[in-house]
Amino acid sequence: MKILIVVMLLISQFSIGQITKGEIKYSKSIRYSDAYKGRVNAKSIKSSSESINYTLVFNNKEALFKVDDKMVSDNSTMADRMAIIKGEGKGIYYTNFGQGYTIRQNEFGGQQFLIKMKHLNFILTEKTKKIGNFSCREAKYSLKEKAPGEGMKSYQIDITVWYSPEIPFSIGPLHFFNLPGAVLEATLGNVTYTATNISIDPEMELIIEEPKKGKLISEDNLLYELHSLRKKI
């Protein structure tokens, strides 16, 4: 895969390690097992995911990750909306680097929430691979969620990320931070985010606004809150 990287530096004054200001574009892909490949919904969602893009913007204090605005419109099909939701791709993820968590603003059941998501303690492995021209290393994490109520199932999601120490910024999609390099690829179950364009520019004008609207809730209590909402419907 070819990644376009645009690095605009004043060589005499800056080095890439001194500048934490830029933008990374990510594509999204969804894989289905053979049991699902023949289903119309699965085909439509997979097809829609191929045109979805996300943007991560960051400076030396904060970062924000979300689906590109043009991907969300009144003309979006059900498959488009499902493709965005897959892999926790719906909502706005805001991270203040001085804190050990990310705030995800998202709507469930017509109600806005600000979900406090802890940064994961990834296990670093010895595996390496190239993504574009960048040497990357693997890190893994298994996310386990208990069933919040009767009739609901517990589940586990295996997460694999590939980060590049050659891009020495501890950033990534969703709430994948605290790694010794930028995350260029992240896989959650059957969903993969892959960096397609990296721009690092000390003169770049960025707008990063912390989302404020919504009920603040911990990630641990989210499933219980959603279970309560379902009971009210």
Side-chain angles (χ1 to χ4, degrees):
M1 179 180 296
K2 191 173 183 180
I3 300 177
L4 173 64
I5 180 168
V6 180
V7 183
M8 301 177 67
L9 302 175
L10 300 176
I11 300 299
S12 61
Q13 299 180 34
F14 301 102
S15 72
I16 193 169
Q18 293 174 310
I19 298 174
T20 53
K21 192 174 185 181
E23 175 184 276
I24 302 178
K25 294 280 188 181
Y26 292 86
S27 64
K28 186 177 192 177
S29 61
I30 301 175
R31 301 173 314 285
Y32 284 99
S33 65
D34 292 338
Y36 287 89
K37 283 181 179 178
R39 298 186 182 182
V40 174
N41 285 349
K43 287 183 178 180
S44 299
I45 293 171
K46 184 177 185 302
S47 177
S48 292
S49 73
E50 295 171 357
S51 62
I52 294 175
N53 296 294
Y54 291 79
T55 300
L56 170 69
V57 292
F58 63 94
N59 56 33
N60 63 342
K61 295 180 179 179
E62 55 193 349
L64 189 141
F65 176 83
K66 67 173 184 173
V67 66
D68 289 355
D69 291 337
K70 65 181 180 180
M71 303 294 165
V72 183
S73 71
D74 294 336
N75 297 323
S76 298
T77 65
M78 178 60 74
D80 293 336
R81 291 191 288 272
M82 289 301 297
I84 291 172
I85 290 171
K86 294 287 187 182
E88 300 186 12
K90 184 184 175 186
I92 296 172
Y93 291 80
Y94 169 83
T95 303
N96 182 314
F97 296 142
Q99 301 166 334
Y101 58 86
T102 292
I103 292 292
R104 179 189 182 189
Q105 184 188 54
N106 201 6
E107 179 183 320
F108 297 100
Q111 183 175 343
Q112 283 277 18
F113 289 93
L114 295 172
I115 307 155
K116 193 174 177 179
M117 307 185 74
K118 295 176 289 187
H119 292 161
L120 307 179
N121 293 318
F122 284 96
I123 297 173
L124 308 185
T125 77
E126 297 300 318
K127 291 184 179 179
T128 62
K129 74 172 183 178
K130 284 275 192 180
I131 298 178
N133 294 323
F134 296 99
S135 297
C136 296
R137 303 186 69 88
E138 183 190 56
K140 301 179 80 68
Y141 185 87
S142 290
L143 179 65
K144 298 178 181 179
E145 294 286 356
K146 293 182 179 179
E150 293 182 9
M152 303 184 74
K153 294 182 179 180
S154 300
Y155 67 91
Q156 175 176 315
I157 297 177
D158 293 322
I159 301 170
T160 300
V161 301
W162 294 89
Y163 64 93
S164 177
E166 295 173 5
I167 307 174
F169 308 139
S170 183
I171 54 175
L174 307 177
H175 58 301
F176 300 155
F177 288 77
N178 291 343
L179 286 161
V183 174
L184 300 188
E185 184 179 289
T187 298
L188 302 79
N190 66 335
V191 177
T192 298
Y193 297 89
T194 305
T196 57
N197 184 294
I198 303 170
S199 299
I200 301 169
D201 180 359
E203 305 301 325
M204 182 181 291
E205 292 187 11
L206 299 177
I207 298 176
I208 301 177
E209 295 182 351
E210 180 180 358
K212 299 287 188 180
K213 184 179 179 181
K215 178 181 178 180
L216 184 62
I217 187 173
S218 70
E219 186 179 11
D220 292 338
N221 289 330
L222 176 61
L223 287 179
Y224 295 94
E225 187 77 22
L226 297 182
H227 184 57
S228 296
L229 282 175
R230 290 192 186 100
K231 287 174 124 181
K232 294 177 183 178
I233 297 175

